[in-house]
Amino acid sequence: MNIAKRLRLPAAAAIAAVMLAVALACTTETVREVPVDRVVTQEVVKEVPVERVVEVEKEVVRTVEIEKPVEVIKEVVREVEVPGDTVVVEKEVVVEVEKQVVVTEEVEVEKIVYRDPRMGGTIRVTDIQKQHLDAAAPGYEANGWSNTHIKESTFQLNAQYDPRPELVESWKTSGDGLTWTFTLRDGVKFHNGDPMTAADVVGSIKRVQDHDGMISTLVKDHQDGDFDGHWTAVDRLTYEMALEKFSTFVLSSFTQPTITGQFIVPESEWSRPVTDVNNDAVGTGPFKLDQWIPGDRLIVSRYEDYQSPPGPPSWQAGRKVAFADKVEFIVVPDVAAQVAALKAGQLDVLSTPFGGDTADQMKDDPNIIIHTVRFGTARMSIWPKHSGEIFDDVRARQALRLALPSERIMTAAYGSSSYWRTCASMWTCDTFWESDVDTADYNAQDLARAKALIEEAGLVGAEVLMPVRSLPLVSDPSRIVREVLEDLGMVVIWEDLDTGAWVERVITEDKWDLFVTTTSGFKDPFIGNSVHFKKMGWIHDYADETNEMTENLDRLFSENLTRAEQKKITDQIQSVFFRDLPLVPLGEGFKNLAVRTRIKGYIPHESVPMYNLWIEDDN
Amino acid sequence: MAVGERSAARAVPNRSPSAGLRTRWRGVRRAFAKNPIMLLGFVIFLIISLSALAAPIITFHDPVRTNIEERLEPPSADHWFGTDHLGVDVYARTIYGGRVSLFVGVSVAILVIGGGLFFGLVAGYNRKLDGPIMRVADAVMAFPTLLLALAVAAALGGSIRNIILVLAISGMPGMARLVRGQVLSLREQQFVEGAKAIGATMPRILTYHVAPNTFAAMMVMASLVFAGSIVAEAGLAFLGVGAPTFAPSWGNLIVRGRDFLGSSPWISFFPGLLLTLMVLAINVIGDGLRDALDPRLRRRL
Amino acid sequence: MQQYIARRILQSLPIIAVVAVITFALVHVAPGDAAYMLFSPNVSVEQIEELRRSLGLDRPMVVQFVDWAVRFIRGDLGTGLLSKQPVLDLMKPRLEATVSITFWGMVFSIVMGIPLGMVAAWKAHGLIDRAVMLAAVFGLSVPSFWLAYIFVWAFALQLPWFPAIGYTPISDGLWPWFRSLAMPCFVISLHTGAVYARMTRSTMIEVLNEDYVRTARAKGLAEFNVFVRHAFKNASIPIITLLGFLFIGLITGTIFVEIVFAIPGLGRLLVDAVKAHDIPIVQALLMLTALVYVYVNLIVDIIYAYVDPRIRY
């Protein structure tokens, strides 16, 4: 009985009470978001009246504002004419102007209908896990998309992948295309209140140029030695860029197709080296950072002093309006959980990649719209180690191309056939650059010829090291590749690795022979070019023996040619590519997006920014 | 997994000298006769184990080879459990998966018994080594099993061998503690004193007198470890550090099949069901053994 | 007693030290490190190496460990390698979620486990007993994440009773807080609840055979009174001792539900940190679990000694 009496000290309850106390203590510590000042919100509603936005739509339909910058160039051309004494210069210049006009003529204007835009609300969207918020430090791809809401670049791509000015207002170039002068929009302020100046642009670009594929190709690879001197801030809003060599991709190198590494940031960020990762996330964009809980969510809210670039909205370019008060970028690690949350209405948009089988599970939900976007194709390829001991033999690479069944591999990765396509061309299919040169062996599934090549190369029984990232998108197709390799008489040593371990195995230790991966593909030689071409050998810079590839690329990037002439070169590049096979393309997977019907203004593209979207009034 | 159970095994009651293994097996047989649920559990265990062993005979499709043309087919006469997203027969994968799970469970149980017995006996008999061994055991127990497994698997890479190693390491301290407790209480017993008196050596005493006396507790612990390992294998697969992705293991099947719960539930349902049944059966057998071998253990394990 | 407590606290130090060394060694042996997580085709090997140098990851393991240990002893848990956030700041907002899950998991397991175990003991070896025990074994046998998906499908999508993902902090109201935790906590409490039920049952059966229970019955006390007042109070001692271990079991369980229900808790932080080789975070969290383990056990032992005067340390 004694024991029983003492037990009245409710031991279990004591522990429970301690835990509850801790829980309570925590809640008092976590500061809940202070509600945004309502008065300000209402003011904004007045500032962006519905009528004005509808006007935008009319503008879009009738005129193409984009021609303006080209006119500027024309003026410049005339200025140059005065000191120039030869007619040849003038002719060259005229050609260039014509070319640029041709580009603008191709623009198809995106029709944007703002029927009933509404301010307010919070959009909840999935995001991939990011390690840091720095837009220039290695690994910025992971945070690039959410960063486009906070930060802006000098130029940005529109829906047709043409560069459009964002922070820049106008620019002009000398007749030889070597000196570029840019003028910034006035009145743009960073979220910290500092005005954005030419010095910030120069500083920001210098910070990234070392490892940004395009800018370093533009500036660094075309000359030797110190290239910092090629950027100068002339005055508060003007800066100059000096090139040593004519280049065909100047403006697009300030943009990137899905992510933007060249964000313009304040001095507090650009004055630090890239390895000194900076997580302040201050920019000039329509949203500003509220809170970042690493591994969980990034919360941004409307930046009230935002100065939008002019022009019709088109993907990442043109006018931006932050209709939503807040956007929450949430990390939901599990795809099945993402689907459940979207169906339950706890998420509004799935922006993280998901396969066709997952899309199929949401198709029948009346509250969800699935977009399968053909712009956002990911190229699935085999990367054989061309400097290794097995696949240094071109016959082994050719055998892979002959044997691998594209349809089966793509189905394993992306699901039913409406979520991918086979593409025989080296250049992304359905683009201007698509070509059928030397494509006969693609998806031939000719095991006999492949086997003969393997035997000829003496590789029967060779041990192929295959590091596989533990991602279904990669590991499922890898299983089929493994079976085919075994059918060809090779021995596959399969190794499941998480991202960090995979990088160590492949990059640092260089212990691999082949792996399957997806990249963004070759949509356009002038977007992301150096990245793709130099990294064709993945870690070993690729160059073909005859140097044909390099010569062709050089011409493409530094000669002023017509589109037809450029196409001829890209066809030649494709021919060399398929002869040498630095990588073996398998097919193209589409990008899937899922969005709740209450989100309006959603125009599917390879990624969809969360500005210019609003939440419908009901629910 | 067996967090609660294994740790509760700290103190073990004093046990009288026993007639040895033969009487114990008689107890086991009697237990089966008296306990129908245990018998049912044993039958389920036997069916799943035998079918796993006989997998090549009783399945009609390759458990690894993909066949994309037949992907995501619902259960049919040809594919009893349907096919998965790569067109592999789920029935074949599930039956072969039993092999992996059984192999993992049995190996872990053996390693845990062997390692636990060794460290427990050493710690129980050698006062100098007792401290260090128990401190390390404490530290290992202070990691929740799965966290330790995750860290080790991340360090050594995901393979069946590593899973076994990981689970054995995290199971060993519990067993070592149990054995040590037994040894500490038994070494003062008369029959051990008697054996010493007639000149028996320490290893002999340990082997012939102490080890058999821990038999009951060890069998029950082993069944818990066995069952726990099978569940843990699935848990590790969920965290992405399980068996190689192409290998048919119940964990892999359930984890990969969860993405298809809304459209093709059979991919994860059948292996999930089999796993649950198997673990259920082993636990029921363990309970029965515990009751039969040593009713006093009932409270501890 | 005080001496005993002091000794136990001293004994915990080597455990913590061993945990720290094991953790550090494991994370280090693992291929890859934090800098490699940032690799992409756009990044050169040199940049990754530069980043490793700037993070101090290129130093020998022993140097890194000593560096970490010295700072730890000074009370500095360090910062996440890439997020640059102090580990403490990373843990704070997540602590609430994990503590809440553990709390409700504990409540659910006690509320389910103890009455079920008592009922089973009351009708020992009867049909109810068998049914309850089978249910308990089932709770031990089913993988929790698998069950979690089935629950989401049933109680968030088919019947929209509970949110499918996420955690609502307690400051948003008690009811939303509980709703967001109900499913995950129920799922993880099945396992611990089963352990409780089994434990309660066997202890009760034992106690019911004791002399004083027989005396109480002989005195003519009502069966319910005998059962609850006399038998259960005594049976609860070993049940209390289990609390600590169940607590640790729940911490493991939270990892799964935090992933399935996308709850930002310490379990997910740890899994992410292990995968990203973010040593300061892994170290801090595993030390925390080890500390909780050691001290929960200590508290349990103290309570044990307090309620049962026969026990002397």
Side-chain angles (χ1 to χ4, degrees):
Chain A
M1 285 316 105
N2 200 14
I3 304 163
K5 248 182 203 171
R6 284 180 182 234
L7 246 180
R8 241 168 247 156
L9 230 192
I15 293 181
V18 169
M19 282 162 56
L20 187 64
V22 176
L24 283 168
C26 293
T27 47
T28 47
E29 270 176 54
T30 30
V31 184
R32 298 302 304 157
E33 305 96 67
V34 183
V36 183
D37 197 351
R38 273 184 201 154
V39 184
V40 178
T41 318
Q42 279 167 355
E43 271 177 14
V44 175
V45 177
K46 281 170 206 156
E47 271 175 22
V48 191
V50 174
E51 300 85 50
R52 202 195 287 175
V53 184
V54 177
E55 259 175 51
V56 173
E57 181 215 340
K58 286 174 191 160
E59 259 178 76
V60 178
V61 179
R62 268 181 305 164
T63 59
V64 185
E65 284 181 57
I66 301 145
E67 284 171 24
K68 272 181 191 165
V70 181
E71 281 169 33
V72 174
I73 296 172
K74 268 184 190 167
E75 283 165 26
V76 179
V77 170
R78 273 167 211 141
E79 279 172 53
V80 176
E81 260 176 68
V82 183
D85 45 1
T86 51
V87 193
V88 188
V89 175
E90 193 187 287
K91 268 184 193 168
E92 265 185 17
V93 172
V94 170
V95 170
E96 201 197 346
V97 170
E98 273 177 1
K99 192 182 72 123
Q100 298 239 0
V101 173
V102 169
V103 176
T104 54
E105 275 174 358
E106 280 187 7
V107 172
E108 288 169 29
V109 176
E110 199 65 65
K111 198 174 159 192
I112 297 165
V113 186
Y114 283 156
R115 244 180 231 112
D116 187 17
R118 196 179 77 92
M119 304 294 288
T122 302
I123 300 179
R124 291 179 184 84
V125 51
T126 57
D127 197 6
I128 50 174
Q129 174 132 12
K130 34 183 146 308
Q131 304 290 340
H132 58 73
L133 296 185
D134 198 315
Y140 63 78
E141 289 86 350
N143 64 44
W145 181 68
S146 50
N147 253 325
T148 53
H149 300 78
I150 301 173
K151 300 172 181 177
E152 291 180 305
S153 316
T154 46
F155 288 83
Q156 194 53 279
L157 293 178
N158 70 2
Q160 288 73 35
Y161 296 97
D162 292 321
R164 292 283 161 259
E166 188 165 49
L167 287 170
V168 162
E169 187 165 54
S170 62
W171 65 97
K172 48 189 182 175
T173 171
S174 62
D176 53 7
L178 294 183
T179 308
W180 290 71
T181 310
F182 301 92
T183 309
L184 297 165
R185 280 190 284 125
D186 201 0
V188 177
K189 277 184 182 168
F190 287 113
H191 299 156
N192 63 10
D194 296 346
M196 192 261 311
T197 64
D200 293 320
V201 175
V202 171
S204 300
I205 293 177
K206 277 184 181 173
R207 184 166 185 248
V208 300
Q209 63 185 358
D210 265 338
H211 66 266
D212 179 273
M214 293 197 74
I215 296 190
S216 67
T217 313
L218 183 69
V219 196
K220 195 182 187 178
D221 291 3
H222 285 218
Q223 61 173 43
D224 307 315
D226 168 52
F227 51 94
D228 274 1
H230 290 261
W231 299 94
T232 25
V234 178
D235 59 38
R236 191 172 63 86
L237 292 176
T238 318
Y239 64 99
E240 264 183 15
M241 175 182 74
L243 299 179
E244 298 243 316
K245 218 170 170 185
F246 179 82
S247 170
T248 48
F249 57 92
V250 173
L251 295 187
S252 65
S253 59
F254 300 115
T255 70
Q256 276 193 10
T258 51
I259 38 119
T260 316
Q262 299 84 12
F263 291 113
I264 305 309
V265 291
E267 189 174 356
S268 56
E269 181 160 331
W270 60 253
S271 56
R272 303 158 75 151
V274 164
T275 46
D276 186 6
V277 176
N278 180 23
N279 292 313
D280 294 346
V282 173
T284 58
F287 290 100
K288 64 183 196 312
L289 178 71
D290 263 10
Q291 197 189 7
W292 178 43
I293 306 171
D296 177 37
R297 67 191 62 204
L298 177 83
I299 304 171
V300 297
S301 62
R302 187 189 301 115
Y303 173 44
E304 304 293 354
D305 287 340
Y306 179 61
Q307 297 289 320
S308 168
S314 174
W315 192 26
Q316 300 182 341
R319 177 163 303 150
K320 300 177 190 176
V321 184
F323 288 114
D325 293 339
K326 278 177 192 281
V327 180
E328 288 190 20
F329 300 90
I330 305 171
V331 181
V332 181
D334 193 72
V335 177
Q338 292 176 4
V339 173
L342 190 75
K343 282 186 168 181
Q346 287 184 278
L347 288 171
D348 297 308
V349 183
L350 295 195
S351 73
T352 41
F354 58 90
D357 293 316
T358 308
D360 284 341
Q361 291 180 42
M362 295 183 282
K363 250 187 342 204
D364 299 332
D365 193 313
N367 295 318
I368 296 173
I369 303 172
I370 305 280
H371 299 284
T372 298
V373 189
R374 289 178 162 244
F375 316 103
T377 56
R379 169 68 62 87
M380 178 147 284
S381 329
I382 303 277
W383 298 76
K385 182 168 154 190
H386 60 76
S387 62
E389 276 162 22
I390 295 172
F391 294 104
D392 59 335
D393 193 324
V394 72
R395 288 171 297 190
R397 305 202 289 268
Q398 292 290 2
L400 286 180
R401 185 156 185 254
L402 280 168
L404 289 169
S406 288
E407 289 94 350
R408 278 168 57 202
I409 293 173
M410 294 307 285
T411 309
Y414 290 94
S416 76
S417 59
S418 47
Y419 299 106
W420 51 267
R421 66 181 169 213
T422 53
C423 176
S425 163
M426 167 200 151
W427 303 96
T428 303
C429 283
D430 289 351
T431 63
F432 173 77
W433 312 100
E434 180 186 349
S435 162
D436 55 5
V437 175
D438 294 341
T439 53
D441 288 348
Y442 172 74
N443 199 18
Q445 304 190 29
D446 190 340
L447 268 181
R449 258 173 76 201
K451 229 173 187 164
L453 279 171
I454 292 289
E455 274 160 22
E456 202 184 304
L459 290 172
V460 176
E463 287 187 350
V464 178
L465 295 177
M466 188 167 172
V468 181
R469 287 169 77 175
S470 41
L471 266 169
L473 180 67
V474 172
S475 63
D476 283 339
S478 294
R479 277 176 65 181
I480 295 175
V481 173
R482 171 170 170 262
E483 287 167 10
V484 172
L485 286 174
E486 284 175 352
D487 290 347
L488 288 177
M490 297 166 125
V491 179
V492 175
I493 299 170
W494 173 290
E495 199 179 10
D496 280 298
L497 297 163
D498 70 16
T499 305
W502 186 91
V503 169
E504 174 153 338
R505 183 78 76 246
V506 173
I507 309 301
T508 315
E509 294 177 358
D510 204 12
K511 270 194 209 152
W512 61 285
D513 288 310
L514 163 151
F515 59 82
V516 178
T517 195
T518 59
T519 54
S520 53
F522 308 112
K523 287 190 189 76
D524 186 316
F526 306 107
I527 296 174
N529 55 52
S530 60
V531 174
H532 290 139
F533 290 107
K534 274 170 108 195
K535 293 284 181 176
M536 246 181 225
W538 197 248
I539 51 168
H540 307 280
D541 279 357
Y542 168 75
D544 65 305
E545 278 167 26
T546 53
N547 228 19
E548 262 178 90
M549 180 78 94
T550 322
E551 280 165 17
N552 277 318
L553 285 172
D554 252 10
R555 280 192 64 207
L556 197 62
F557 295 146
S558 57
E559 282 180 31
N560 198 355
L561 305 165
T562 63
R563 291 259 289 183
E565 287 168 327
Q566 286 176 339
K567 181 79 167 64
K568 254 183 222 158
I569 297 178
T570 59
D571 283 1
Q572 275 169 351
I573 290 175
Q574 175 162 324
S575 171
V576 181
F577 178 86
F578 283 143
R579 193 183 65 210
D580 219 34
L581 283 175
L583 59 91
V584 184
L586 298 169
E588 293 176 349
F590 301 141
K591 166 94 182 174
N592 294 314
L593 301 154
V595 58
R596 300 270 308 172
T597 46
R598 72 177 194 134
I599 301 294
K600 301 292 174 188
Y602 196 87
I603 299 156
H605 205 279
E606 63 175 86
S607 69
V608 180
M610 294 294 115
Y611 42 77
N612 297 346
L613 302 185
W614 67 93
I615 304 166
E616 203 179 44
D617 231 344
D618 57 5
N619 97 57
Chain B
M1 310 313 90
V3 177
E5 292 90 328
R6 74 171 185 206
S7 44
R10 287 171 146 184
V12 160
N14 289 353
R15 301 197 19 72
S16 55
S18 97
L21 287 172
R22 208 169 302 151
T23 22
R24 296 186 181 278
W25 278 120
R26 204 176 300 148
V28 172
R29 281 205 307 276
R30 218 178 300 132
F32 273 114
K34 264 172 40 183
N35 189 341
I37 292 188
M38 184 180 171
L39 195 66
L40 183 71
F42 190 70
V43 169
I44 293 176
F45 173 76
L46 220 58
I47 292 175
I48 299 180
S49 312
L50 286 179
S51 60
L53 292 177
I57 306 167
I58 59 166
T59 61
F60 322 105
H61 297 276
D62 191 303
V64 176
R65 183 100 190 165
T66 61
N67 185 9
I68 287 291
E69 287 71 24
E70 292 183 9
R71 72 194 298 264
L72 299 177
E73 280 184 12
S76 64
D78 188 27
H79 300 289
W80 294 354
F81 294 177
T83 61
D84 71 3
H85 62 294
L86 295 178
V88 190
D89 185 42
V90 177
Y91 171 66
R93 255 177 116 61
T94 308
I95 298 297
Y96 273 93
R99 287 184 155 194
V100 174
S101 296
L102 269 179
F103 181 62
V104 169
V106 170
S107 319
V108 172
I110 290 173
L111 281 176
V112 165
I113 290 179
L117 205 55
F118 175 75
F119 287 112
L121 290 176
V122 170
Y125 260 94
N126 190 328
R127 289 199 184 272
K128 271 185 201 154
L129 289 175
D130 187 21
I133 290 179
M134 282 302 113
R135 285 300 82 74
V136 173
D138 276 340
V140 174
M141 283 174 90
F143 285 101
T145 315
L146 210 85
L147 295 186
L148 182 70
L150 178 69
V152 174
L156 303 177
S159 74
I160 293 168
R161 193 194 63 207
N162 290 342
I163 294 171
I164 293 171
L165 202 68
V166 163
L167 296 176
I169 289 170
S170 53
M172 250 179 237
M175 185 63 89
R177 268 181 175 290
L178 183 117
V179 173
R180 172 177 169 270
Q182 293 274 39
V183 172
L184 286 183
S185 65
L186 285 170
R187 59 188 291 172
E188 309 303 331
Q189 300 275 312
Q190 280 183 345
F191 70 98
V192 174
E193 298 281 323
K196 260 189 213 160
I198 58 167
T201 56
M202 248 339 126
R204 197 183 156 78
I205 294 174
L206 289 178
T207 319
Y208 289 95
H209 299 275
V210 178
N213 274 293
T214 56
F215 177 78
M218 270 176 14
M219 281 309 290
V220 179
M221 271 291 272
S223 74
L224 286 171
V225 167
F226 192 164
S229 316
I230 293 177
V231 178
E233 189 270 328
L236 285 175
F238 179 76
L239 294 178
V241 286
T245 40
F246 59 84
S249 85
W250 286 340
N252 275 350
L253 293 173
I254 300 171
V255 169
R256 196 66 190 89
R258 77 184 195 275
D259 291 344
F260 302 87
L261 266 180
S263 52
S264 317
W266 55 86
I267 301 177
S268 67
F269 176 77
F270 289 107
L273 186 75
L274 238 67
L275 184 146
T276 307
L277 273 180
M278 183 67 162
V279 176
L280 198 81
I282 297 169
N283 275 328
V284 165
I285 296 171
D287 284 1
L289 280 179
R290 181 197 59 193
D291 291 352
L293 293 176
D294 191 348
R296 288 205 204 186
L297 274 174
R298 198 178 275 166
R299 218 180 84 178
R300 320 274 171 201
L301 292 162
Chain C
M1 193 65 187
Q2 272 148 344
Q3 254 187 348
Y4 170 73
I5 295 174
R7 207 177 64 227
R8 280 287 298 266
I9 291 176
L10 272 179
Q11 268 180 5
S12 72
L13 293 179
I15 295 180
I16 302 294
V18 173
V19 167
V21 174
I22 294 178
T23 317
F24 205 88
L26 281 179
V27 177
H28 248 274
V29 169
D33 65 34
Y36 292 137
M37 295 302 289
L38 300 182
F39 180 81
S40 75
N42 296 356
V43 179
S44 67
V45 183
E46 295 77 44
Q47 273 161 14
I48 292 287
E49 290 305 321
E50 200 184 320
L51 193 71
R52 289 189 69 209
R53 269 196 298 282
S54 77
L55 293 173
L57 297 174
D58 57 331
R59 298 171 299 166
M61 180 176 144
V62 180
V63 176
Q64 288 187 49
F65 181 73
V66 170
D67 182 49
W68 173 84
V70 166
R71 273 199 257 162
F72 178 80
I73 290 163
R74 284 197 203 129
D76 176 10
L77 285 181
T79 57
L81 284 179
L82 295 164
S83 66
K84 296 276 175 84
Q85 311 257 330
V87 174
L88 221 56
D89 289 1
L90 287 172
M91 284 163 63
K92 251 188 234 160
R94 292 154 178 273
L95 192 62
E96 186 196 325
T98 300
V99 170
S100 306
I101 297 176
T102 322
F103 171 73
W104 281 111
M106 205 87 167
V107 170
F108 284 0
S109 358
I110 292 171
V111 166
M112 288 191 302
I114 292 179
L116 280 176
M118 283 171 76
V119 168
W122 183 40
K123 296 278 179 195
H125 308 294
L127 205 64
I128 296 179
D129 178 25
R130 294 246 156 113
V132 167
M133 282 305 104
L134 207 62
V137 183
F138 181 79
L140 284 179
S141 309
V142 64
S144 58
F145 66 89
W146 189 58
L147 202 65
Y149 286 110
I150 293 169
F151 269 61
V152 170
W153 180 81
F155 301 115
L157 298 181
Q158 301 307 310
L159 304 165
W161 293 348
F162 299 104
I165 62 158
Y167 167 71
T168 316
I170 194 169
S171 52
D172 288 7
L174 280 175
W175 175 240
W177 175 60
F178 176 75
R179 261 192 67 191
S180 71
L181 290 168
M183 273 205 295
C185 293
F186 184 75
V187 166
I188 57 168
S189 66
L190 276 189
H191 187 267
T192 40
V195 176
Y196 262 129
R198 287 153 60 98
M199 183 76 188
T200 309
R201 174 185 174 270
S202 46
T203 320
M204 283 296 285
I205 289 176
E206 210 165 277
V207 172
L208 284 172
N209 288 329
E210 298 277 344
D211 290 342
Y212 59 85
V213 174
R214 248 175 273 154
T215 314
R217 276 183 176 148
K219 276 198 303 189
L221 285 181
E223 185 65 12
F224 183 81
N225 267 355
V226 173
F227 206 74
V228 176
R229 289 237 178 113
H230 294 258
F232 177 65
K233 274 188 179 169
N234 285 292
S236 51
I237 297 167
I239 295 172
I240 291 169
T241 61
L242 250 191
L243 270 172
F245 303 114
L246 291 185
F247 189 80
I248 300 298
L250 283 174
I251 290 179
T252 313
T254 54
I255 294 179
F256 291 112
V257 294
E258 280 173 16
I259 292 174
V260 175
F261 293 96
I263 293 171
L266 294 176
R268 236 174 86 198
L269 182 67
L270 178 64
V271 172
D272 289 346
V274 168
K275 288 188 172 170
H277 304 272
D278 206 327
I279 293 175
I281 302 179
V282 179
Q283 286 282 38
L285 284 171
L286 283 179
M287 308 271 288
L288 182 77
T289 9
L291 276 174
V292 168
Y293 171 85
V294 169
Y295 290 111
V296 165
N297 278 336
L298 178 60
I299 292 167
V300 164
D301 283 349
I302 292 168
I303 296 174
Y304 198 89
Y306 187 76
V307 295
D308 190 347
R310 285 173 301 184
I311 293 166
R312 286 278 166 270
Y313 292 102

